[in-house]
Amino acid sequence: MIIAIDGPAASGKGTLSKRIAAELGLAHLDTGSLYRAVGVAVLRAGKDPADAAVAAQVARALRPEDGILADPELRSDEAAQAASKVAVVPEVRSALLDFQRTFAAVPPAGAPGAVLDGRDIGTVVCPDAAAKLFVTASVEVRAERRLKELRERGIPAIPSDVLEDMKARDARDSQRAVAPLKPADDAFVLDTSAMNPEQAFAAALAYIGSKTGLGPKR
Ligand code: DC
């Protein structure tokens, strides 16, 4: 049982995916953390994330099962920008494909299925997923959410910079040639611009239930 959840940066898909996985007793993989791990490793090596040859080499050497995905540095804005740069490289994407598909096919700890969230899960990684959600919100709403999150973490941020960064990442993610960010033809598009997290969660669960018959594990 595979559930694909895609969407742009700060759409709330990460939080939503974690909650859905916990509610339904499924494993969860945040596939963005794989690209972030590659971006951070390139930066740590003192190289440029836009250097395709270096990024591809780092991606091929990545061993996600070794705990690197839990590194807090992966959550930084530098990591996000670097991730979005390495993610345009086709060799990086293909190097990370096996790990994602194996996780989906054989979820860890004997879980009966998996929730994968990212940009291309419903279109490329798991096109046969039982349920596909595309979680989105207007770029202004997403920038506002991101600003709030940064301020809560005590990180100073300028609203216009956050909005510009968000637009730059959207453009890079949706305009790249390989596996661009877009809803699968058979995805359920959930626009959360005017929803709170509870409403988004309820709408997502209702859709997944209608596609799979899965309900809360109680
Ligand atoms: O979901 P995130 O913000 O952690 O993702 C970071 C970057 O990784 C994002 O800008 C694009 C890339 N990414 C991707 O290309 N494909 C995925 N399945 C997940 C993330």
Side-chain angles (χ1 to χ4, degrees), residues 9 13 30-33 35-36 75 80 83-84 87 93 100 117-121 169 173 176:
K13 67 184 187 314
D30 160 15
T31 64
S33 66
Y35 293 90
R36 286 171 183 260
R75 306 324 314 162
S84 137
R93 307 201 67 83
Q100 297 175 76
D117 77 80
R119 302 287 188 290
D120 62 340
I121 308 304
R169 197 136 77 94
D173 291 349
R176 66 179 178 228

Side-chain angles (χ1 to χ4, degrees), residues 9-178:
S11 58
K13 67 184 187 314
T15 312
L16 185 64
S17 303
K18 246 181 250 144
R19 262 189 94 177
I20 288 169
E23 183 82 7
L24 302 178
L26 305 175
H28 171 236
L29 178 64
D30 160 15
T31 64
S33 66
L34 298 168
Y35 293 90
R36 286 171 183 260
V38 174
V40 165
V42 172
L43 292 176
R44 282 189 183 145
K47 306 276 185 178
D48 178 2
D51 184 328
V54 171
Q57 194 182 5
V58 168
R60 282 193 287 267
L62 192 78
R63 296 288 165 264
E65 51 281 7
D66 291 349
I68 165 103
L69 303 187
D71 184 341
E73 181 54 29
L74 265 50
R75 306 324 314 162
S76 72
D77 266 356
E78 292 72 32
Q81 293 295 342
S84 137
K85 288 178 188 163
V86 301
V88 305
V89 180
E91 292 79 12
V92 168
R93 307 201 67 83
S94 57
L96 300 179
L97 206 49
D98 256 9
F99 180 80
Q100 297 175 76
R101 287 194 174 145
T102 303
F103 187 101
V106 191
V115 178
L116 278 76
D117 77 80
R119 302 287 188 290
D120 62 340
I121 308 304
T123 50
V124 174
V125 180
C126 302
D128 298 329
K132 298 181 185 179
L133 269 154
F134 190 86
V135 184
T136 189
S138 71
V139 70
E140 289 79 14
V141 167
R142 290 185 287 116
E144 195 55 47
R145 289 176 186 162
R146 181 78 184 129
L147 193 64
K148 185 163 170 270
E149 183 197 324
L150 288 170
R151 289 189 170 152
E152 280 168 4
R153 282 162 52 194
I155 301 169
I158 300 164
S160 55
D161 286 358
V162 173
L163 181 62
E164 285 317 305
D165 280 358
M166 194 69 71
K167 286 182 177 169
R169 197 136 77 94
D170 278 1
R172 215 160 27 228
D173 291 349
S174 18
Q175 288 163 20
R176 66 179 178 228
V178 180

